[in-house]
Amino acid sequence: MSRPHLASVVEDRWNRALGGLLTRAGWQPRIVGYAGYGGADFVRVLARVVLDRPPERSGRSNELRRGWRNFLTAEVGGAEVTITVAGESFVVTTDRSGIVDARLPRAGLAPGWHQVDLAVDGAQPGTADVVVVADDEDFGIVSDIDDTVITTWLPRLLLATYNTFVLAEEARKPVDGMAELYAALLADRPGAPTVYVSTGPWNAALALTRFLAHHGFPRGPLLLTDWGPTNTGWFRSGREHKLACLRGLATDFPAISWVLVGDDGQRDPVIYAEFAREHPERVRAIALRELSMGEQVLAHGTPTEMREDPAWHGRPEVRGADGHELADRLRDLG
């Protein structure tokens, strides 16, 4: 087994020192449940254990904060979490970032949304939602978040930092027509899953979930990532994160052919094309929001969009400035 990267060693020592300091200052463990999903014989439960200020000392509800307040936590690595699914309990351990990502037996859950119970020593009990997808479901949506459904203009460092750490949740803006697009795609498919895949941090998950619900986007799991070092390097690869999520969905739901929705301001065209070449039967269509020339310059420093030839990956592809244009072009595809 290879030795962990220096970056992860440094971060782990910092987290242990910070955790001890915050515990002595009265901070308490809190378990945060995220939306997961399930299939024919499994459920994937997502959660995180963090140290957080007690709500009565924070001066503001933990459920409604400005962006930067979502980051005033410290993860608890190595915590034992008991997950109870349909009366059956399982004990799992958080990773070094405090994340629970547990694949458990389905325990006879019917298709639809369910709650599982979460417990960790020293914290109030919590819950996490999971959506179980029917065995015969053959349609689904995978959606990027930044610049696809919400106008954050990532990865522009200064604006991205402002949007994440300063801007209040209620001031963020949805991309025009995207919620209506998803509603139209799902109108005749009430059991089809929508999965949001982003390189955004888990700290923002609850705020993003509230944003999506407030603006009429379909309910669905968020597959996010953890900022900071890994066991192999100083930085995480957003491209590899998204590809791993797509490949996992292809394995978990072998009957579903996905509509992949993203934008041309980051790496979505390249990532989606690579996945389509690997799993053409798992891609129904690719829909990409086109950024304006100004947005392209701010997004990656050039007015040239990151275009992939649709013939190269062999699956239908449409582009449009917003959800209304994408809906029209997908409708033309039938």
Side-chain angles (χ1 to χ4, degrees):
M1 181 177 179
S2 61
R3 296 176 62 184
H5 193 274
L6 173 63
S8 64
V9 173
V10 171
E11 185 186 43
D12 288 346
R13 288 179 179 175
W14 164 259
N15 285 337
R16 286 195 294 270
L18 178 63
L21 177 65
L22 294 178
T23 298
R24 290 191 294 274
W27 288 41
Q28 301 170 351
R30 179 164 67 98
I31 188 159
V32 183
Y34 306 128
Y37 62 78
D41 56 3
F42 76 97
V43 291
R44 183 181 180 185
V45 178
L46 301 170
R48 195 177 201 186
V49 179
V50 298
L51 288 175
D52 199 5
R53 293 180 299 171
E56 64 273 12
R57 292 178 54 189
S58 68
R60 188 179 178 102
S61 169
N62 283 334
E63 294 305 313
L64 181 60
R65 312 178 183 207
R66 279 193 177 271
W68 64 271
R69 293 178 185 271
N70 292 310
F71 291 78
L72 286 182
T73 58
E75 58 265 25
V76 182
E80 289 193 347
V81 180
T82 301
I83 305 173
T84 302
V85 183
E88 187 173 0
S89 294
F90 307 86
V91 178
V92 301
T93 303
T94 61
D95 68 11
R96 53 185 296 273
S97 298
I99 295 292
V100 171
D101 186 349
R103 189 183 179 95
L104 304 172
R106 174 171 163 175
L109 297 178
W113 283 94
H114 302 269
Q115 273 194 345
V116 302
D117 295 322
L118 307 171
V120 64
D121 285 346
Q124 292 292 321
T127 61
D129 295 332
V130 292
V131 59
V132 174
V133 180
D135 298 350
D136 59 354
E137 182 59 63
D138 64 357
F139 183 89
I141 299 171
V142 169
S143 175
D144 180 45
I145 295 178
D146 300 310
D147 286 330
T148 300
V149 302
I150 182 174
T151 54
T152 52
W153 286 9
L154 288 174
R156 292 172 297 279
L157 179 59
L158 294 180
L159 286 177
T161 301
Y162 174 78
N163 279 325
T164 300
F165 291 101
V166 180
L167 193 64
E169 293 172 20
E170 58 269 21
R172 300 187 181 198
K173 302 297 182 185
V175 174
D176 192 35
M178 295 304 293
E180 292 85 350
L181 167 63
Y182 293 178
L185 289 172
L186 299 172
D188 298 325
R189 306 174 178 95
T194 300
V195 182
Y196 300 91
V197 178
S198 172
T199 56
W202 282 109
N203 303 67
L206 297 184
L208 288 172
T209 299
R210 291 191 292 267
F211 174 90
L212 293 170
H214 178 72
H215 292 285
F217 287 93
R219 186 183 181 190
L222 278 68
L223 303 183
L224 306 178
T225 188
D226 181 51
W227 288 356
T230 71
N231 284 326
T232 59
W234 288 100
F235 302 105
R236 298 173 188 270
S237 169
R239 175 181 174 277
E240 288 305 316
H241 166 69
K242 284 192 170 183
L243 274 174
C245 290
L246 290 169
R247 290 164 179 159
L249 290 171
T251 299
D252 289 338
F253 302 108
I256 292 181
S257 183
W258 302 87
V259 175
L260 308 180
V261 188
D263 65 84
D264 65 0
Q266 298 188 66
R267 304 295 297 179
D268 290 344
V270 176
I271 294 167
Y272 288 172
E274 182 171 345
F275 178 71
R277 289 192 298 272
E278 292 179 359
H279 301 280
E281 72 285 355
R282 300 279 72 83
V283 179
R284 189 176 298 257
I286 296 172
L288 296 170
R289 179 192 172 228
E290 295 179 306
L291 305 187
S292 67
M293 183 177 295
E295 289 174 320
Q296 289 287 350
V297 171
L298 290 172
H300 52 79
T302 172
T304 303
E305 62 190 50
M306 304 176 69
R307 180 177 291 276
E308 290 279 331
D309 182 357
W312 187 24
H313 57 65
R315 303 307 301 151
E317 181 177 306
V318 299
R319 296 185 179 226
D322 56 26
H324 301 300
E325 288 190 7
L326 290 174
D328 290 341
R329 290 165 190 174
L330 284 171
R331 193 176 298 112
D332 291 341
L333 290 177

